[in-house]
Amino acid sequence: MLLAAVDYYRPDTLAEAVEALDSTEGARPLAGGQSLISILKLRAASVDLLVDISRLEDLRAIAVADDGSVRIGAGVTYDEMAMSPDLHRSHPRLSQVAAHTVDAQVRNRGTFGGNLCHNDPINNFPPVAVALEATMHVTGKDGDRDIAAADFFTGYFTNALSSDEILTGVTLPALNGRHMGYQEIEIGEAAARAVAVVATSNGNIESASVALGCLPIPVRRPQVEEALAGTPATADAVAEATAAAGEGIEPLSDADASADYRQAMASVVAKRAVMEAIEGGQNG
Ligand SMILES: Cc1cc2nc3c(=O)[nH]c(=O)nc-3n(C[C@H](O)[C@H](O)[C@H](O)COP(=O)(O)OP(=O)(O)OC[C@H]3O[C@@H](n4cnc5c(N)ncnc54)[C@H](O)[C@@H]3O)c2cc1C
């Protein structure tokens, strides 16, 4: 179906974008358009004004701070993430995930911020932001605010932003010797996904952060993290500690996978992600 007629505005500054969102009912930011335009074509949502933020300079940088944390502008595309030497050094696994997201066309247009704001359960980056304890930087008519990633995702396709607010960037803390594992089961778009950020020392797990994706909201698994802390960094110990990863989650059933299957696969992807992070540590 063709796109229905909609007003379009490409502001030159972030302030102009916020002003347009605030002053026009039914206005919506347009980033890479890889989700929003499809939704509009399908008539699954209607928008009166598209505010194109894709060329705003304020949203387009990747910057590593002295403490090793990295700030990724919301308008940075997956391709730009994949090709950034800074991101490759600071968060190499994230750089790889960006490089393998969907296909060349989507990677050329899709943005890190759009991926997070859209919060489609199939999107790659929401569980990464939660596992890494990212900070989301937001600007709106009342000024700037920061939101912890754990509080940013509020439900299926929804987030904590109000209609005048724009996600401007995301700060990922330094890995500081930790390693990230990212594992998914690809049936259709994705049936199950886990991200683990793990520190090891002398053959034991010092700390672990584990988040699951392919859910309405990406969730941390504190009981798994507690079980992992202090255990030997071996496949058997990790399997035991991650066995309960699917307890209490509420996955969706869709054409790709049933909720029961997704629940059963949570421990499988959690174990694989933790083992990948451990092996990253062993490989340097
Ligand atoms: C065929 C296909 C397959 C795909 N498969 C995958 C996949 O397997 N994994 C995956 O991760 N993604 C996948 N995607 C989705 C893709 O990653 C989209 O790029 C992403 O969901 C949205 O990013 P975008 O920049 O295109 O945002 P847009 O489509 O422009 O916007 C999406 C939503 O976010 C809002 N928004 C965007 N940026 C901001 C901002 N800075 N502040 C506030 N609100 C904002 C918009 O208003 C809109 O509501 C797929 C897309 C296609 C077309």
Side-chain angles (χ1 to χ4, degrees):
M1 212 183 288
L2 290 175
L3 195 62
V6 58
D7 287 338
Y8 171 89
Y9 170 52
R10 196 168 76 212
D12 292 324
T13 65
L14 188 54
E16 288 171 0
V18 169
E19 167 63 24
L21 291 172
D22 184 39
S23 61
T24 314
E25 188 135 347
R28 193 91 162 253
L30 174 69
Q34 297 303 297
S35 295
L36 184 53
I37 297 298
S38 306
I39 288 170
L40 295 179
K41 282 183 175 171
L42 289 168
R43 311 290 193 266
S46 69
V47 169
D48 295 315
L49 172 67
L50 288 171
V51 179
D52 185 346
I53 57 172
S54 66
R55 297 194 201 176
L56 293 179
E57 279 306 313
D58 291 353
L59 273 54
R60 306 233 358 109
I62 296 180
V64 178
D66 290 344
D67 66 359
S69 63
V70 59
R71 178 175 171 135
I72 304 176
V76 171
T77 65
Y78 313 140
D79 259 348
E80 288 164 343
M81 290 170 71
M83 289 187 286
S84 160
D86 283 341
L87 189 63
H88 188 69
R89 266 192 301 275
S90 69
H91 293 78
R93 186 65 177 106
L94 175 57
S95 166
Q96 280 177 356
V97 171
H100 291 101
T101 295
V102 202
D103 56 31
Q105 183 181 329
V106 172
R107 289 197 295 275
N108 183 46
R109 295 287 310 167
T111 65
F112 190 49
N115 194 287
L116 295 165
C117 289
H118 191 53
N119 191 30
D120 186 328
I122 65 140
N123 277 4
N124 297 3
F125 299 112
V128 173
V130 169
L132 283 169
E133 298 184 333
T135 301
M136 325 293 275
H137 307 293
V138 174
T139 295
K141 71 175 178 350
D142 295 328
D144 300 337
R145 66 180 178 126
D146 288 346
I147 306 173
D151 299 325
F152 184 79
F153 306 100
T154 52
Y156 193 44
F157 291 106
T158 56
N159 60 52
L161 300 181
S162 54
S163 58
D164 60 285
E165 286 184 318
I166 293 175
L167 178 69
T168 55
V170 178
T171 295
L172 307 177
L175 286 175
N176 280 336
R178 298 174 301 160
H179 291 265
M180 185 177 122
Y182 175 101
Q183 289 288 319
E184 61 191 10
I185 293 177
E186 271 191 82
I187 298 176
E189 302 286 1
R193 177 177 291 127
V195 181
V197 184
V198 179
T200 55
S201 172
N202 298 322
N204 289 319
I205 295 176
E206 270 188 346
S207 68
S209 164
V210 178
L212 298 179
C214 294
L215 297 169
I217 301 176
V219 290
R220 285 278 289 273
R221 303 278 73 199
Q223 76 282 27
V224 170
E225 296 170 4
E226 279 165 32
L228 285 165
T231 60
T234 62
D236 285 348
V238 170
E240 195 177 326
T242 52
E247 269 179 23
I249 63 170
E250 294 183 5
L252 301 158
S253 283
D254 58 25
D256 293 338
S258 68
D260 285 349
Y261 178 78
R262 289 195 155 103
Q263 190 145 32
M265 289 304 105
S267 58
V268 174
V269 283
K271 178 193 164 188
R272 288 177 185 169
V274 172
M275 288 309 297
E276 184 195 347
I278 290 170
E279 281 153 21
Q282 288 163 352
N283 298 334

